Structure formats: C-alpha cells, structure tokens
Amino acid sequence: MKRKNALALVCAILAVSAVFAGGGSDGKKSDGKIILKMGDNLPDRKNGYGAVIETINTEFKAIHPEVEIVTESYQDQPWQEKVKIYATANQLPDVLKYWSFGGMMKPLIDAGLVEKMKIADFKSYGYMAGSLEGNVFDNELYGIPISGDMWVVYVNKGLFKKAGVPVPTTWDEIIASAPKFKAIGVTPMVTNGKEGWPLCELFDNISQRINGDFKRVDSAINRKAKYTDPDFVQAAAYMQKLVKAGVFQENLSTSDYGDARNMFGQERAAMYMMGSWEMSLATDQNFSEPFRNNLDVIKFPVVKGGKGSADDVLAWFGGNYIISSTSKHKDIAYEYVKYLGKRFGEIAWETQACFPAQKVTPRANDTVVSKKLLQIAADAKSTSGTPGLDRSDSVFKEDHQELIRQLCALMITPEEFAKKLDASAARAATQE
Amino acid sequence: MNSLFNNKKVVALLVLPGLCVMLFAIAAPLVISVIFSFVKWAGFGKIRFIGFGNYARLIKDEVFWRSLINVLALILVTVFIQNVFAFFIASMMTKLSGGLSRVLRTIYFIPATLSLVVVTRLWVNIFHPDYGVLNKILRLIGAGDAAKAWLGNPDTALWAVIWIMIWQGFGWALLFFYGGLMTVPKELEEAAIVDGANRGQLYMHVVLPYMMPVVQSIVIIDVISSMKQMEMAYLSTEGGPGNTTQFIALYLYQRAFKYSEYGYGNAISVLFVIIAVGLTLVIQRMFRKSVDQI
Amino acid sequence: MNGMMERKPMIAQKNYVHEMVTLRIFATILLVSIAIAQIFPFVWIFSYSIKKSGDLFGPELLSFPGNPQWGNYYKAFFDGKIPLYLSNTLKIVIPSVAFATILPFMLAYACTRMEWKLKKLVWLLVVVGMTIPIHTTLLPNFIWYRTFRLLDTHLGLIISNVAFSMSFNTIVFSGLLAGIPRSMEEAAFIEGAGYSVILPKIIAPMATTGFVTVGVQTFLSHWNEFIMANTFLSTELKRTLPFSIILFSGQYVSDYAVQFACMTLVALPPLVLYFILSKWILAGVTAGAIKG
C-alpha cells in the first residue's frame, strides 16, 4: 500500500513537472504585456552605461505601459560569444548592444539577422561626425552608435604621491616608476589581460607611438604592409619590455575586466589602462571617496624617440545598438531604439556616466575626469578609427588576442608573434 | 515459463523508452556532427561544403594535440596520484571506529556535492595572487617568494587546474575504494597476517587482487570523466595562458563560438568521440589481461 | 615442532600491534588535515561572504567579522534571482532524475533477465554510450533541437540529462539484477502475477541499493549541470541555479562579498540534502562500488 501511494505521488509530481517543463514564452505574458528581450555587456546596472540604460528603460516603460523589458547582461567577451550562440540557435534578443566594427557587424548582416534602420530618424539627435556613418553598410543604416571611445590611462594621484612618482607622460617614465610602486605594495598598472583585446589596443597604440602613423595597421590588414615590418616587431618587443619591467599585474593573463577594474578601484594599482567609457569610475559608489577624489586621466603616453605624439588618439565609435531581424516586436523595438538615441547622450553626460557618441555640453560641475576627456578629444590631431583586431574576420580577431596573450606571458618572441599575426592577416585577406 | 521471459511486448515496453531517448539525444546529434564536420560555417549565414578540409587542418593543429596531451595528463594524475592517495586514505579509514569513519567520510565527500561552478570560482579566488588564501599562507610562513599567479603562470596553470579537478573527485574515489575495501573478508586478511605477511605484501597480494573489479570501474570512470572536463577550464583560465590549460571539450566549444568555425568544432567533436571510445576499449582490454594474469 | 609453530604467530601479532599504534597516531593527524583541506575553502568563502568587500584584501587568513554583513546574503538572494533559478533547476531535475532512474532500471531488467534477439546489440549501445561526452552533442544539438523547437526549453535539457545518465545507470542496475535468482519471477508468475506486479513489487525492492546509488549520483550530476543549461537556455527567466553565480560575476564584479554569499547559497541545497541523506548515500555508493 505504501509503495502504491509513493508511486502515485511520484507520478503526480512528474506529471506536474512535465507540464511546466515544456514552458516556453513566446514573448507575451498572460496579462498581454509585450516582453522586449534585450542583451548587452552592461552587467552593472547601478553605474556607468548600465545605469543610463536603466533610466531610459524606466522612462520608456512609463510611456509604453504595455511593454516589459527583460535584459540579460554579461561581460564583454562572454556576451560576444553569446551573440554567436544565439545567432546559431536563431534566438537573438529583440534589441542588442553590439559593436559597429565591420568584422563584427558584417557576418550578422550577411546572414540577414540585423534589421535596417532609417538614417533620417536619427539626424536630429546630435551624433558626432562619422558616428552614424560608421554603422552604415551597403548604404543602409544597421545600428545607432552609443559611445565615443578613446584609449587612455586612468591614474590614482594619491598613490603617485605616496610612491613619490610624478604623473608620467612617457612609457619610459612608467617603466622607471615600477620599483617605486612595488616598494609600497602597489601594482603600477592594471588592465584586462585575460580577454586580450586591451593588449591589442596597447599594441596598436604603441605601434603608432613608434611609427607615427595609425594607418600602418590598416595597411597591414589590407596587405599593403606586413606585421613583420620592423616597426611592428619593435612594438611587440617594447610590450615585452613593459611586462618584464613589472609594469603590469602578475596575473595579467587571468585578470579579467572586473578583476582589473577592481584592483584599480580598491587602490591596489596606480594606473588603469582602459577606454573613455570608464569615466564613471569617478562616480562609482562601490569605491571609496578618497579614491574617487584622487582619480584623474592622462593621454596615452609616448615612447621616447618615437614619431607619435600624445595628441594622436586611438579613438573609435565602438558600441552600438541593433535590432534583430528575427524579432517578433520590431515596431516596438524600433520605438525603443529611437528613444534611446534621443535620450542617451543627455542622460549619460548629466550623470557623468560615460562618453557618448553624441555632442555634449560641458558644464562647470563635470568631474575632473570628464573635463580631461573632453580636453583630450578636443586636442586630438589624428585618430585611428576601428582598432586593428576588429578590422578583419572572427578568426583573425581571436588569433590576435591569443597571440597577444602569449606575447605578454613571454611565451613567444616578438618575431614569432609578428610572423603568426601576419600569417593570420594574410589568411583572412584570402577568405573574401 | 518461456513466454514469461520472452514476452516481446514487455521487452518492447521496457526497452523502447530508454533506447529512444538515447537515440534521439545522443546518436542523432552525433550523426549531425559528422555531417557538419565536412562544412565551413559560422553557425549562421552561408554553409560551404569542404570535404575533409577540417580534418586535414586538425591533424596539423598543435592546439588540438596540446589539448589531448592535457587530457592524458589529467588521466594519469587522477589514476596514479588521486586514486592511490584515495586508496591509502580509505584503507586507513577502515581501521577506524564506525562513528569516526562515518564523520570523516561525510566531510570528505562534501566537495563532490558542490556544483563545479562553485568549486571553480572557489579555487580561482584561493589562487588569486593578491588576496588569495594560498599566497597569504605562503607569505605568512615566510615563503613569500613562492607566491605566484597560479592560474596565470604558464608553468603552474595546468597543475593548478588539475588540482581543482582532483580536489573535487577525491570524495568519489574515496567512497568507492572504501566500499570495496569493506568487502574484503577479514578472514583473508587475518590468514595472510598469520602467515607472516607484512603490510605491503598484504595489500599487494591479497587486497588489491580481490578488489580488481572495483579498481577497474574506478579507472574507467576516471578516464571518461577526465575526457569530459571542460567547465572548470572554461570558468577559470579559458584554456590559457597560451593554451597550456586547453582541453578537447573546451577547444571545440571555443572554435565554434569564439572563432565562429562551427564546422571545425564539429570535426573536433567527431575525433573526440573516436578517441574517447578507443581509449575506453584499450583500458578495458588492459584490465582483462591483468585479471587473467591473476 | 609444535612450539615453533605457536611462537611465530605470537611474535607476528606483537609487531603488528606496535605498528598499529604508531600508525594510528600518524593516520589520525593525516586524516584530520585532509578533512580541513576539504572544507577549508568553503569556510573561507563563507567567512568573507559576511564581511565587507574591501576586507578581502587585508592580510588575515581567515577571520570572522564582529558585525556580520548578512545584508550580503539578502542581496545575493534577491539580486541573484535565486528563487527563480532554484525553481527552474527543480523543474528540470525532478523529472530528469525520476526518468533517469526508472528507464535504466527497465532497460537493465530487459537486458539481463529477458531473452530477445537484439539484446546484444542494445547492450553494446549502452556500453558505448557511456564513453560519449556531453560536449560532443553541444554543437549538433543547435541544429537538431532547433528543428524540434527544443532549444531554450526545460524539456530539451531533461531529455539530454536523461539520455546521458542512461548508460551508467543501466550498468549499475544490471550488476544488481543479474544476481537475483529466476525463481522469483517464476514463482510469482505461477501465482498469476504479470510484469506490472512482478517488476515494482518483487524485483524493484531487491535493487534498492541500486536505486539509492543511481538516484543520488544522478541527482548531483543533473543538479549541478551547467554547460548545457548555459548554452541552450537563452531566456533569462528559464535559467538554472549555477547561472546566478555567473550573473554576479558581472553585476557585482566589484563586490566580492556578495559574490561569495551567492556561491554559498548555491552550494547549500545539495549540501543540505547530502547531510540529510548521508547515511543512505554512503551505504548506496559503497554498495554500488562493489557491484560496479
């Protein structure tokens, strides 16, 4: 008897579970609300970009009460991986934060997965010259730009004072300062070494500081030049010099985005090499007030004897927002994107959250960091455009990142690095 | 009587559900994998048929061979270090009182119950060069120079990752060996002792041969689960630095979803199955031979 | 002659006793150290989960704070969406463990105790199936499951979970079932009972240790299953428990304490279950080892 009851109970549980197990939402909740699915690389919803998007979402839902927004957020590289997985599974969210680089947009566009937009709808939103255009492929607009990105170095003035080191303008000064920082138990500089791409930016930037010309990278990709040319090999060797001098954190190759940022925010490092989108460090409540007061940003340093100047800025319009063509709610998604375009720049600058792709009005109470960033942008004599690793296909990008990681882990020589990178660029060029 | 054990309807009812699930969820996808191993495809967009192109490339792919070597290293460490150690500990525990032995067994098995996401993140934090416990301990006992970035250093990364894997697997191995040891009849042991056997001889000539079937199961399980390792490397080092912690399952995942080379990933998948099945058969053959010798 | 024979065992026994004492001391130390090594990581994480994040960088090895920040657990529980993910995990694990226990039992019975033509072939499939890793179906399932609209569903995960547990569980059951004398079924048959009675009422009870071993092992592996759930589930509302830790490594990237609290919370359910059932589990696993 007992067993029969137990069996009956088990069957009941199974039956109930099976009913729920099949559950898949088709985008509509039972109370008739439209669920707009979004995906981005902004896991922190209380600071920076994430906070701006949350504000926009709240405002949008107030205007459109029938809409429910569900967002999933990952860090950078996991998000890029997820997009590929979703594209393969035909499960892309309705609206995605993505990147406007050709190497990333084209595969999706060619597979017909991105919805077209009308450029006229966005002309009045104050986008900086070149930003909207960067999202045009085959004469169609496929996304709206989100940020103006510049490659800079954030510094903690307090730690510099403590170590008795002046704020640097050249990489040679940074190398010289390493022992002084070690003496007070602080890492000189941190960056996200696990994913590799910040080191690729470093490579592009150091190359320019040596050869004085951002277009060299483009030439290498287009096979009018080679990565095995002496200026690039020199840049690779210089990067190893930085690593050997102890400029970066010891666990560079396993230090991911969050880890590096934390080390800087917790004052375990004096410098943080990252992009202008991190200007929200100045308002991040997770970190101490002394830290935030000591925060400053400097132009990417120069290399002594090199041809590049501090006003040659590695800059590009990176992030964008796109709509997937498989979305079941394209109209509402488009309304959202238009609203995003309208409000993002204003809110972003008002809350000093990040550096948008739209023109902003400087204010007296902007943070030290934002004022400096505006200054760096204004002083810029030449800009790079899309970074090297994103100018080609997926395989080249991964190869570039993998090789840079090995270079900085001192596992290969600069010559080997150059040879393999060049081979990958050559392979990519023949794929077309 | 015959009709009882030959009843075709009953057989079908008993066999079909399980069999269908296996065919649907394992066999069919494997066939698809083979098909897609012959194409070049990003996972979306155009598909191009390239025959054996992926396989030709795979033979020359040093990262693939590296990942295979790492799997073999893991198997060797698991079988010869983790298992030997677990056996040693299990045999010690058989001499303890019932209550104490149960408490210890309960404690030892705890890591095995944890999700590998938890286990991996746990050890990533412990291995952290800055705030991790391991380095803190080293500095405390004055061995600060030995403190390093365990997961970031190409020389130590693989061993750190393997350590995480065997730390969790220890509980299972211990329990299996303990169970096996408990079945060895006491009379057999006592008779050998009376005959003047010392500890070593006792184990080599009496206990182990008696436990061969148990040992065989454990080794085969070890081989299979070592080949399945992916999540721990994925969540800690992602195969780096420089592919020193690359494992086959992780590599195929990365080729498909980072490099957008779905076809190539499937080719790795197919080779992986062949290697896994082959390796298991070899091990089974080895055990059969050794059992015959005894 | 007789005297000699009597003395030898006495001496051997004395040496043996000596050995035992020293070994006992050494063994106890070793065993306790290992116990510490097994649970220390967990204790460490727990102690820091109730501190403030910055404290992690201090020089102490392990310390319990004066004012525990239980708020971290509150944040971990709600921002980590633990109730939602927990219910999703349950929705998947309960059916999958149930089916992954019953179906192999049935299959093992047919393969070990019944006579039919394709028996050898099916058994071969079972054995081979055990060597196939989950990850080899990750890629093709995108195509295959997509056709059947199983992507991003809990049902798809249940099916895969069950499929991959079939081989091992069938083998465990077959080991147990093989030893039962045929007379059991024959007697019942003579009394007029069919299989619907014989299997659940007569055979199943004899394989209880098998059910325990299989049930526990399957539960742990399905509960902790990560890569398939992470890859196939796209809707956030459907995600499973391990995912909350991943979620946190992004969102609370600066807040280590909350991350640690989340890890502790996620580790608790199987741990609690394990403590409750530990007697059964240990008995079942050791029994399974012998039959395995």
Side-chain angles (χ1 to χ4, degrees):
Chain A
M1 255 303 118
K2 241 205 264 178
R3 255 182 241 276
K4 229 192 211 155
N5 288 341
L7 194 62
L9 181 63
V10 168
C11 286
I13 295 179
L14 285 182
V16 171
S17 314
V19 165
F20 285 117
S25 62
D26 58 354
K28 271 213 166 102
K29 271 164 85 167
S30 49
D31 54 358
K33 278 204 169 181
I34 299 176
I35 300 182
L36 209 54
K37 288 203 255 179
M38 301 199 188
D40 59 35
N41 62 338
L42 311 168
D44 190 348
R45 309 306 276 186
K46 304 207 174 84
N47 290 296
Y49 284 84
V52 178
I53 298 293
E54 281 300 308
T55 313
I56 290 178
N57 286 357
T58 315
E59 290 180 8
F60 187 76
K61 282 189 283 189
I63 302 174
H64 291 269
E66 75 281 11
V67 172
E68 183 67 55
I69 297 179
V70 176
T71 314
E72 49 173 338
S73 311
Y74 298 83
Q75 291 193 23
D76 252 37
Q77 297 288 67
W79 171 234
Q80 289 182 20
E81 225 174 85
K82 265 294 153 159
V83 172
K84 291 184 190 170
I85 292 178
Y86 290 162
T88 306
N90 247 337
Q91 288 175 322
L92 285 172
D94 301 303
V95 175
L96 300 85
K97 179 169 183 298
Y98 202 57
W99 287 265
S100 55
F101 307 135
M104 297 187 66
M105 288 289 279
K106 280 185 118 223
L108 290 183
I109 294 174
D110 288 341
L113 292 170
V114 188
E115 190 68 8
K116 299 189 187 118
M117 303 187 193
K118 298 201 207 65
I119 205 167
D121 289 339
F122 298 97
K123 280 275 161 114
S124 63
Y125 293 151
Y127 283 107
M128 290 199 260
S131 57
L132 267 180
E133 289 73 8
N135 282 285
V136 170
F137 298 90
D138 302 326
N139 289 318
E140 295 280 356
L141 181 69
Y142 282 102
I144 58 161
I146 265 290
S147 54
D149 304 321
M150 296 185 289
W151 199 240
V152 293
V153 175
Y154 296 90
V155 299
N156 182 329
K157 285 188 295 218
L159 288 179
F160 271 87
K161 222 193 256 173
K162 206 164 150 204
V165 175
V167 176
T169 52
T170 75
W171 280 100
D172 315 82
E173 286 168 13
I174 293 179
I175 293 179
S177 72
K180 298 216 183 101
F181 283 119
K182 288 277 166 64
I184 59 167
V186 156
T187 307
M189 182 183 290
V190 288
T191 194
N192 169 5
K194 186 174 184 200
E195 291 174 3
W197 58 266
L199 299 170
C200 295
E201 316 288 10
L202 178 65
F203 175 71
D204 276 10
N205 216 346
I206 295 262
S207 302
Q208 192 275 343
R209 290 295 187 259
I210 291 176
N211 61 31
D213 185 6
F214 277 124
K215 296 208 196 59
R216 286 282 297 159
V217 167
D218 204 27
S219 305
I221 304 241
N222 290 327
R223 312 310 294 151
K224 299 201 191 81
K226 288 195 173 175
Y227 274 113
T228 45
D229 291 342
D231 51 338
F232 289 119
V233 181
Q234 216 184 323
Y238 199 83
M239 281 178 68
Q240 285 202 327
K241 192 166 141 185
L242 292 176
V243 173
K244 286 191 201 153
V247 168
F248 293 108
Q249 70 264 51
E250 225 191 306
N251 63 330
L252 184 63
S253 56
T254 48
S255 194
D256 66 15
Y257 198 96
D259 195 47
R261 187 173 183 275
N262 267 344
M263 285 186 75
F264 183 62
Q266 300 283 356
E267 305 203 76
R268 315 284 308 159
M271 294 175 273
Y272 179 41
M273 179 178 69
M274 201 33 78
S276 53
W277 56 82
E278 279 295 350
M279 75 184 228
S280 63
L281 278 168
T283 49
D284 192 336
Q285 300 292 328
N286 277 315
F287 302 130
S288 67
E289 209 176 320
F291 164 76
R292 285 180 271 134
N293 290 336
N294 278 325
L295 188 65
D296 199 350
V297 63
I298 59 172
K299 298 178 185 172
F300 190 84
V302 297
V303 171
K304 223 194 268 180
K307 298 191 194 135
S309 80
D311 288 326
D312 297 316
V313 183
L314 191 72
W316 62 89
F317 295 109
N320 66 0
Y321 266 82
I322 63 177
I323 300 174
S324 78
S325 58
T326 52
S327 163
K328 296 194 182 81
H329 307 293
K330 284 188 216 174
D331 297 329
I332 238 339
Y334 198 55
E335 285 304 309
Y336 177 85
V337 169
K338 279 198 282 186
Y339 191 77
L340 181 79
K342 184 165 143 207
R343 291 288 284 146
F344 188 82
E346 302 165 355
I347 304 179
W349 200 253
E350 213 174 279
T351 57
Q352 298 279 284
C354 57
F355 211 85
Q358 293 150 292
K359 299 194 198 87
V360 295
T361 329
R363 310 164 310 172
N365 59 344
D366 286 343
T367 62
V368 167
V369 169
S370 354
K371 287 190 179 144
K372 267 284 186 62
L373 286 174
L374 282 175
Q375 188 67 44
I376 296 177
D379 289 346
K381 279 193 277 177
S382 81
T383 57
S384 64
T386 307
L389 80 159
D390 290 302
R391 279 183 187 262
S392 185
D393 65 9
S394 259
V395 180
F396 176 75
K397 178 172 175 169
E398 289 303 321
D399 283 343
H400 200 326
Q401 289 177 149
E402 176 57 29
L403 288 169
I404 271 278
R405 283 191 292 250
Q406 290 183 18
L407 179 75
C408 293
L410 307 176
M411 294 174 77
I412 52 176
T413 67
E415 290 77 15
E416 283 175 321
F417 166 81
K419 203 167 94 174
K420 290 193 175 158
L421 187 63
D422 197 65
S424 188
R427 176 210 50 82
T430 59
Q431 292 291 333
E432 284 307 296
Chain B
M1 258 338 107
N2 268 345
S3 61
L4 177 65
F5 293 108
N6 281 356
N7 191 330
K8 288 215 171 120
K9 258 199 224 153
V10 174
V11 169
L13 214 67
L14 291 176
V15 170
L16 283 179
L19 190 64
C20 285
V21 170
M22 285 181 73
L23 289 175
F24 180 79
I26 304 180
L30 282 182
V31 170
I32 294 186
S33 216
V34 172
I35 297 175
F36 276 90
S37 70
F38 294 120
V39 308
K40 186 177 164 67
W41 189 38
F44 48 91
K46 346 191 254 299
I47 305 181
R48 243 185 350 144
F49 179 74
I50 57 167
F52 282 95
N54 286 328
Y55 290 102
R57 194 174 142 204
L58 204 51
I59 306 286
K60 292 186 265 164
D61 188 344
E62 42 178 47
V63 179
F64 174 71
W65 294 110
R66 184 62 202 255
S67 67
L68 187 58
I69 291 176
N70 285 346
V71 169
L72 290 174
L74 176 63
I75 292 176
L76 289 175
V77 171
T78 310
V79 170
F80 291 109
I81 298 183
Q82 180 208 71
N83 280 350
V84 169
F85 191 63
F87 183 78
F88 183 57
I89 301 294
S91 62
M92 269 205 264
M93 281 174 49
T94 54
K95 306 283 185 277
L96 295 175
S97 70
L100 181 60
S101 131
R102 187 143 49 85
V103 167
L104 280 178
R105 270 181 291 151
T106 312
I107 294 181
Y108 290 165
F109 195 66
I110 288 178
T113 65
L114 302 174
S115 145
L116 35 72
V117 178
V118 173
V119 171
T120 311
R121 293 218 73 112
L122 204 76
W123 282 97
V124 165
N125 281 308
I126 293 177
F127 283 138
H128 196 279
D130 218 29
Y131 60 74
V133 172
L134 182 58
N135 281 353
K136 273 194 190 170
I137 292 178
L138 286 174
R139 288 185 201 120
L140 221 71
I141 62 173
D145 288 335
K148 23 163 94 71
W150 302 97
L151 288 169
N153 187 321
D155 298 324
T156 56
L158 180 62
W159 306 114
V161 173
I162 288 185
W163 167 260
I164 304 177
M165 294 170 181
I166 64 179
W167 181 79
Q168 189 178 38
F170 178 70
W172 284 107
L174 183 72
L175 245 51
F176 275 123
F177 278 125
Y178 184 80
L181 280 169
M182 291 302 262
T183 64
V184 178
K186 278 248 149 93
E187 307 87 57
L188 219 63
E189 281 191 39
E190 285 166 6
I193 293 170
V194 164
D195 279 346
N198 65 21
R199 208 156 215 100
Q201 290 167 324
L202 179 68
Y203 279 97
M204 282 300 288
H205 296 287
V206 177
V207 177
L208 266 182
Y210 192 86
M211 283 180 55
M212 254 322 160
V214 177
V215 174
Q216 178 179 0
S217 326
I218 294 175
V219 171
I220 293 192
I221 292 175
D222 282 339
V223 169
I224 293 172
S225 62
S226 297
M227 300 212 75
K228 292 183 186 177
Q229 281 302 346
M230 179 266 190
E231 290 88 338
M232 284 186 177
Y234 178 61
L235 294 169
S236 58
T237 56
E238 282 196 46
N243 291 313
T244 48
T245 58
Q246 192 62 266
F247 288 88
I248 302 186
L250 177 61
Y251 189 48
L252 70 88
Y253 191 84
Q254 286 180 338
R255 275 287 158 184
F257 297 121
K258 278 175 80 150
Y259 291 77
S260 287
E261 296 184 301
Y262 187 80
Y264 195 59
N266 273 302
I268 299 176
S269 220
V270 171
L271 265 191
F272 187 23
V273 172
I274 296 175
I275 293 174
V277 174
L279 200 60
T280 315
L281 287 177
V282 166
I283 305 243
Q284 278 191 323
R285 198 143 289 198
M286 270 170 49
F287 267 96
R288 222 178 300 154
K289 275 215 197 115
S290 72
V291 167
D292 291 340
Q293 277 170 3
I294 294 174
Chain C
M1 274 296 140
N2 274 342
M4 287 274 283
M5 290 287 279
E6 271 168 17
R7 251 186 298 165
K8 210 161 123 192
M10 287 271 290
I11 294 176
Q13 269 190 2
K14 234 201 222 164
N15 288 339
Y16 193 56
V17 168
H18 259 262
E19 249 180 56
M20 287 291 280
V21 171
T22 35
L23 265 171
R24 266 239 154 83
I25 299 174
F26 170 65
T28 324
I29 299 177
L30 182 61
L31 291 175
V32 170
S33 327
I34 296 178
I36 295 177
Q38 294 285 81
I39 53 176
F40 178 75
F42 199 57
V43 173
W44 182 68
I45 291 282
F46 176 69
S47 81
Y48 277 100
S49 70
I50 42 181
K51 290 188 163 199
K52 293 202 216 102
S53 270
D55 293 348
L56 192 59
F57 291 95
E60 330 80 40
L61 260 188
L62 183 73
S63 61
F64 283 90
N67 55 332
Q69 306 277 318
W70 296 109
N72 291 335
Y73 277 89
Y74 186 82
K75 272 193 227 163
F77 191 76
F78 287 106
D79 289 347
K81 306 214 179 121
I82 299 229
L84 172 67
Y85 296 152
L86 182 61
S87 73
N88 285 337
T89 301
L90 284 171
K91 275 188 210 165
I92 295 175
V93 169
I94 294 178
S96 70
V97 171
F99 283 112
T101 318
I102 297 176
L103 292 186
F105 171 73
M106 289 160 49
L107 187 59
Y109 185 85
C111 284
T112 50
R113 304 183 69 76
M114 303 195 76
E115 306 297 327
W116 41 292
K117 256 196 278 185
L118 295 172
K119 187 161 72 160
K120 280 225 159 113
L121 180 63
V122 170
W123 185 252
L124 184 66
L125 284 174
V126 168
V127 170
V128 170
M130 198 165 79
T131 63
I132 311 241
I134 275 189
H135 311 93
T136 55
T137 60
L138 265 183
L139 301 185
N141 269 342
F142 273 104
I143 314 291
W144 187 234
Y145 276 14
R146 189 172 63 188
T147 324
F148 291 92
R149 302 234 186 144
L150 283 174
L151 277 181
D152 198 30
T153 62
H154 289 161
L155 184 59
L157 288 178
I158 293 173
I159 294 177
S160 277
N161 275 339
V162 172
F164 279 100
S165 297
M166 286 292 308
S167 286
F168 181 77
N169 294 354
T170 307
I171 293 176
V172 170
F173 276 125
S174 67
L176 282 168
L177 290 174
I180 301 174
R182 286 239 165 142
S183 50
M184 301 254 82
E185 288 106 323
E186 288 166 0
F189 193 56
I190 292 175
E191 306 250 339
Y195 270 109
S196 57
V197 169
I198 294 179
L199 276 179
K201 293 213 161 153
I202 300 177
I203 305 293
M206 307 195 76
T208 316
T209 51
F211 276 101
V212 172
T213 312
V214 160
V216 167
Q217 235 239 359
T218 311
F219 175 80
L220 284 177
S221 82
H222 290 187
W223 181 277
N224 289 330
E225 202 286 312
F226 169 69
I227 197 67
M228 283 198 301
N230 193 44
T231 313
F232 291 138
L233 293 177
S234 59
T235 311
E236 216 227 336
L237 300 167
K238 295 192 187 158
R239 296 210 183 258
T240 55
L241 202 57
F243 187 71
S244 63
I245 303 179
I246 306 289
L247 188 71
F248 259 42
S249 64
Q251 188 177 347
Y252 277 93
V253 77
S254 317
D255 199 337
Y256 289 106
V258 177
Q259 281 190 49
F260 289 178
C262 185
M263 281 163 61
T264 313
L265 282 178
V266 171
L268 277 179
L271 208 59
V272 167
L273 203 72
Y274 169 61
F275 279 125
I276 298 176
L277 297 178
S278 65
K279 221 198 276 195
W280 281 46
I281 293 172
L282 298 181
V285 170
T286 55
I290 302 158
K291 300 303 175 181

